[in-house]
Short mmCIF file of all heavy atoms in Angstrom, two decimals:
data_model
loop_
_atom_site.label_atom_id
_atom_site.label_comp_id
_atom_site.label_asym_id
_atom_site.label_seq_id
_atom_site.Cartn_x
_atom_site.Cartn_y
_atom_site.Cartn_z
N VAL A 11 40.86 168.29 97.87
CA VAL A 11 41.77 167.92 98.93
C VAL A 11 41.27 168.44 100.23
O VAL A 11 40.88 169.60 100.38
CB VAL A 11 43.18 168.51 98.67
CG1 VAL A 11 44.16 168.20 99.82
CG2 VAL A 11 43.76 167.92 97.37
N ASP A 12 41.27 167.52 101.21
CA ASP A 12 40.95 167.91 102.59
C ASP A 12 41.85 167.11 103.51
O ASP A 12 41.58 165.93 103.77
CB ASP A 12 39.47 167.68 102.87
CG ASP A 12 39.11 168.22 104.29
OD1 ASP A 12 39.95 168.79 104.97
OD2 ASP A 12 37.94 168.02 104.72
N ILE A 13 42.97 167.69 103.92
CA ILE A 13 43.93 167.04 104.79
C ILE A 13 44.29 167.90 105.97
O ILE A 13 44.12 169.12 105.94
CB ILE A 13 45.20 166.60 104.03
CG1 ILE A 13 45.93 167.83 103.49
CG2 ILE A 13 44.88 165.60 102.94
CD1 ILE A 13 47.35 167.55 102.99
N ASP A 14 44.84 167.28 107.03
CA ASP A 14 45.28 168.00 108.22
C ASP A 14 46.40 168.98 107.77
O ASP A 14 47.17 168.72 106.84
CB ASP A 14 45.81 167.07 109.27
CG ASP A 14 44.68 166.36 110.01
OD1 ASP A 14 43.50 166.56 109.66
OD2 ASP A 14 44.97 165.60 110.96
N ALA A 15 46.46 170.11 108.56
CA ALA A 15 47.42 171.17 108.22
C ALA A 15 48.84 170.81 108.53
O ALA A 15 49.78 171.46 108.07
CB ALA A 15 47.02 172.41 108.98
N ASP A 16 49.06 169.73 109.36
CA ASP A 16 50.41 169.45 109.73
C ASP A 16 50.44 168.03 110.36
O ASP A 16 49.44 167.49 110.80
CB ASP A 16 50.92 170.41 110.79
CG ASP A 16 52.40 170.69 110.65
OD1 ASP A 16 52.84 171.21 109.58
OD2 ASP A 16 53.17 170.28 111.54
N GLY A 17 51.66 167.38 110.25
CA GLY A 17 51.83 166.06 110.83
C GLY A 17 51.85 164.94 109.85
O GLY A 17 51.74 165.16 108.62
N THR A 18 51.89 163.71 110.37
CA THR A 18 51.85 162.51 109.56
C THR A 18 50.58 161.73 109.84
O THR A 18 50.24 161.56 110.99
CB THR A 18 53.07 161.66 109.83
OG1 THR A 18 54.30 162.40 109.58
CG2 THR A 18 53.10 160.42 108.93
N PHE A 19 49.85 161.37 108.78
CA PHE A 19 48.56 160.77 109.03
C PHE A 19 48.17 159.91 107.84
O PHE A 19 48.76 160.00 106.76
CB PHE A 19 47.50 161.86 109.26
CG PHE A 19 47.62 163.00 108.28
CD1 PHE A 19 47.00 162.98 107.06
CD2 PHE A 19 48.29 164.15 108.71
CE1 PHE A 19 47.16 164.03 106.16
CE2 PHE A 19 48.44 165.24 107.82
CZ PHE A 19 47.84 165.16 106.53
N LYS A 20 47.13 159.06 108.05
CA LYS A 20 46.62 158.26 106.98
C LYS A 20 45.76 159.02 106.01
O LYS A 20 45.13 159.99 106.37
CB LYS A 20 45.79 157.12 107.61
CG LYS A 20 46.63 156.15 108.42
CD LYS A 20 45.76 154.97 108.92
CE LYS A 20 46.57 153.78 109.35
NZ LYS A 20 47.33 154.11 110.57
N TYR A 21 45.79 158.60 104.76
CA TYR A 21 44.98 159.24 103.76
C TYR A 21 44.37 158.18 102.82
O TYR A 21 44.87 157.09 102.69
CB TYR A 21 45.76 160.27 102.99
CG TYR A 21 46.36 159.76 101.66
CD1 TYR A 21 45.59 159.80 100.50
CD2 TYR A 21 47.64 159.16 101.57
CE1 TYR A 21 46.12 159.35 99.27
CE2 TYR A 21 48.14 158.68 100.44
CZ TYR A 21 47.36 158.78 99.27
OH TYR A 21 47.87 158.28 98.11
N ILE A 22 43.25 158.56 102.18
CA ILE A 22 42.66 157.71 101.15
C ILE A 22 42.38 158.55 99.88
O ILE A 22 42.14 159.78 99.99
CB ILE A 22 41.37 156.99 101.58
CG1 ILE A 22 40.32 157.96 102.08
CG2 ILE A 22 41.72 155.91 102.63
CD1 ILE A 22 38.94 157.28 102.37
N LEU A 23 42.39 157.84 98.77
CA LEU A 23 42.06 158.45 97.50
C LEU A 23 40.66 157.89 97.16
O LEU A 23 40.45 156.65 97.15
CB LEU A 23 43.04 158.09 96.43
CG LEU A 23 42.96 158.62 95.06
CD1 LEU A 23 43.15 160.20 95.10
CD2 LEU A 23 44.03 158.09 94.14
N VAL A 24 39.68 158.76 96.95
CA VAL A 24 38.31 158.35 96.77
C VAL A 24 37.81 158.85 95.41
O VAL A 24 38.03 160.02 95.05
CB VAL A 24 37.38 158.91 97.89
CG1 VAL A 24 35.93 158.53 97.64
CG2 VAL A 24 37.82 158.36 99.21
N ARG A 25 37.15 157.98 94.62
CA ARG A 25 36.54 158.37 93.38
C ARG A 25 35.03 158.61 93.59
O ARG A 25 34.32 157.77 94.07
CB ARG A 25 36.70 157.29 92.32
CG ARG A 25 35.96 157.59 91.05
CD ARG A 25 36.55 156.90 89.88
NE ARG A 25 37.90 157.45 89.55
CZ ARG A 25 38.77 156.89 88.78
NH1 ARG A 25 38.54 155.71 88.26
NH2 ARG A 25 39.96 157.42 88.58
#
Side-chain angles (χ1 to χ4, degrees):
V11 174
D12 185 2
I13 61 169
D14 284 3
D16 214 65
T18 302
F19 44 85
K20 292 185 165 68
Y21 95 89
I22 57 172
L23 187 61
V24 176
R25 173 157 293 165

